[in-house]
Amino acid sequence: MATIVPFKALRPTPELASKLASRPYDVLNSSEARQEVKGNPYSFLHITKAEVDLPPDADIHGMEVYVKAKDNLAAFIRKQVLFRELKPCYYIYQLVMNGRSQTGLVCGSTVNDYENDIIKKHEFTRPEKEQDRIDHIKTSGAQTGNVFLAYRNVDEIDALINKWKTIHEPVYDFVADDNITHTIWIVNDSKTIDSITQLFASKVPFTYIADGHHRAASAAKVRKALGTAASEGADIFLTTLFPSNQLHIMDYNRVVKDLNGWSANDFIKQLQQDFECEPVGKTVVHPDALHQFGMYLEGNWHKLVAKQGSYQEDPIGVLDVTILSEKVLDKLLGIKDQRTDKRIDFVGGIRGLAELEKRVNSGEMKIAFSLYPVSLPQLFDIADSGNVMPPKSTWFEPKLRDGLLTHLIYE
């Protein structure tokens, strides 16, 4: 059963919360982060992407960046931009996007649960991304990135959280620049804290990483690296748990730098072994059913439909991300490991399919693919079976903001 614990969050003073809260570090590149912090000395990106305060030619994975993050965090605490909670608490985090609301519980989940597979995974991680967060956590002493966990919803937990929201005022409540509303309540009553802890311990056998595999893996490796020097703070990592009845998965699309030596015409001919391929010109192809794909090549879209019998019917083989990986990325484009191959990149559905066109039209990429989203039941079934999906198979929105609640691993 799931073990969760309250923690003493490092958090902003209420009047600065909206200025400090930043988009997650891994949805922005360095150039975008530099633009975002302009005119805002309070942005948490000064900590999560501290290269914004270094020369443009600085190594974004060099130790100088992590030391700068540590220094910036210390300055925020010294200037009382951030302060530490006096007692361990739970936090309720509600997000509203396009009229749809989802509410999660911010807590500490245990590294033991992660290592013992109580916290289920559904994808492998990329070593260089793990190392980036390991260095950031060890140097700054802070888990700044939240791990987004899902669980099969429990009526008693829903009722308790909704009751707390109804009778208490939030500590933070603001609309971010992307029109997403962020509202946070503090659960600081000992009896309620104990009730929440016990409900998860008795009603929730597993939690599932929806977003944050690298952050979770890094937290576990930091504890291992610290060894006997690890404090109790390193035994847990920062998570927000959302019930399955409130979640929505978006598409997660692909762009590739070249055609692996094929001409465009020959590539399309090869595709026809496994796909029905229909050219549709400038009409954007947003798949609306399983086994449909969009392909953008040389300024035109094509609708692809996987042929019956070209893919396996098992829980992994039937996924569209698997079909694309096996029948196109590997078979035709020679991409064997999407985690490490520099020829491929991933574009979250929140950016829209216009981003795929932009990446190809600029000449940066040669070809793009749009996919139908993975479903939450598929994610649960695959994780329960011990299997993993291809990398970057799921994109969840809305995203939690960094900086509102941070966990310090050193006392």
Side-chain angles (χ1 to χ4, degrees), residues 354-370:
E355 179 70 13
L356 301 184
E357 293 183 340
K358 176 183 173 184
R359 299 283 294 272
V360 173
N361 292 342
S362 70
E364 176 197 2
M365 296 292 178
K366 180 66 177 178
I367 191 168
F369 299 94
S370 57

Side-chain angles (χ1 to χ4, degrees), residues 41-96:
Y42 300 111
S43 172
F44 204 66
L45 290 170
H46 291 286
I47 293 157
T48 55
K49 293 188 77 69
E51 66 266 25
V52 299
D53 295 319
L54 295 174
D57 60 350
D59 178 3
I60 64 170
H61 299 304
M63 288 309 299
E64 183 182 13
V65 172
Y66 307 117
V67 172
K68 187 63 177 176
K70 177 183 178 180
D71 291 344
N72 286 348
L73 181 62
F76 274 33
I77 295 171
R78 185 174 62 253
K79 295 174 182 177
Q80 298 183 331
V81 174
L82 294 169
F83 69 96
R84 187 99 182 270
E85 206 79 68
L86 294 177
K87 64 172 284 187
C89 299
Y90 287 129
Y91 304 85
I92 296 169
Y93 193 154
Q94 176 183 280
L95 303 102
V96 180

Side-chain angles (χ1 to χ4, degrees), residues 133-274:
R133 284 304 98 180
I134 289 169
D135 291 337
H136 194 281
I137 294 169
K138 286 177 67 177
T139 305
S140 69
Q143 295 167 354
T144 58
N146 217 308
V147 178
F148 184 148
L149 299 181
Y151 63 95
R152 290 184 172 89
N153 56 289
V154 176
D155 290 344
E156 296 96 319
I157 296 175
D158 289 348
L160 195 157
I161 287 176
N162 287 333
K163 180 180 179 182
W164 189 273
K165 285 167 54 181
T166 301
I167 63 177
H168 294 87
E169 290 295 318
V171 65
Y172 306 129
D173 187 16
F174 63 91
V175 179
D177 52 10
D178 54 6
N179 292 319
I180 296 173
T181 302
H182 300 260
T183 310
I184 292 179
W185 293 260
I186 301 174
V187 181
N188 52 13
D189 171 67
S190 297
K191 184 177 178 180
T192 305
I193 288 172
D194 290 343
S195 295
I196 292 173
T197 304
Q198 289 305 313
L199 278 170
F200 275 89
S202 61
K203 301 283 187 178
V204 180
F206 303 107
T207 59
Y208 300 80
I209 298 179
D211 190 8
H213 281 82
H214 292 94
R215 297 188 283 280
S218 299
K221 290 183 177 179
V222 165
R223 185 179 75 163
K224 183 177 180 180
L226 292 175
T228 57
S231 67
E232 289 185 3
D235 290 335
I236 65 171
F237 58 102
L238 181 64
T239 59
T240 301
L241 282 63
F242 286 94
S244 56
N245 58 354
Q246 297 188 30
L247 295 179
H248 171 66
I249 303 179
M250 297 184 73
D251 46 307
Y252 211 157
N253 304 307
R254 272 74 171 140
V255 288
V256 181
K257 288 183 181 292
D258 59 68
L259 294 182
N260 197 32
W262 299 103
S263 69
N265 286 337
D266 287 343
F267 180 74
I268 291 172
K269 288 178 182 177
Q270 293 296 320
L271 277 177
Q272 291 170 347
Q273 296 177 31
D274 298 307

Side-chain angles (χ1 to χ4, degrees), residues 328-369:
V328 182
L329 300 178
D330 184 349
K331 180 178 178 180
L332 300 182
L333 296 178
I335 296 172
K336 304 296 183 183
D337 187 347
Q338 296 177 55
R339 296 178 303 146
T340 57
D341 198 309
K342 304 300 184 184
R343 296 166 54 221
I344 188 169
D345 199 6
F346 309 89
V347 181
I350 192 66
R351 290 182 177 264
L353 299 190
E355 179 70 13
L356 301 184
E357 293 183 340
K358 176 183 173 184
R359 299 283 294 272
V360 173
N361 292 342
S362 70
E364 176 197 2
M365 296 292 178
K366 180 66 177 178
I367 191 168
F369 299 94

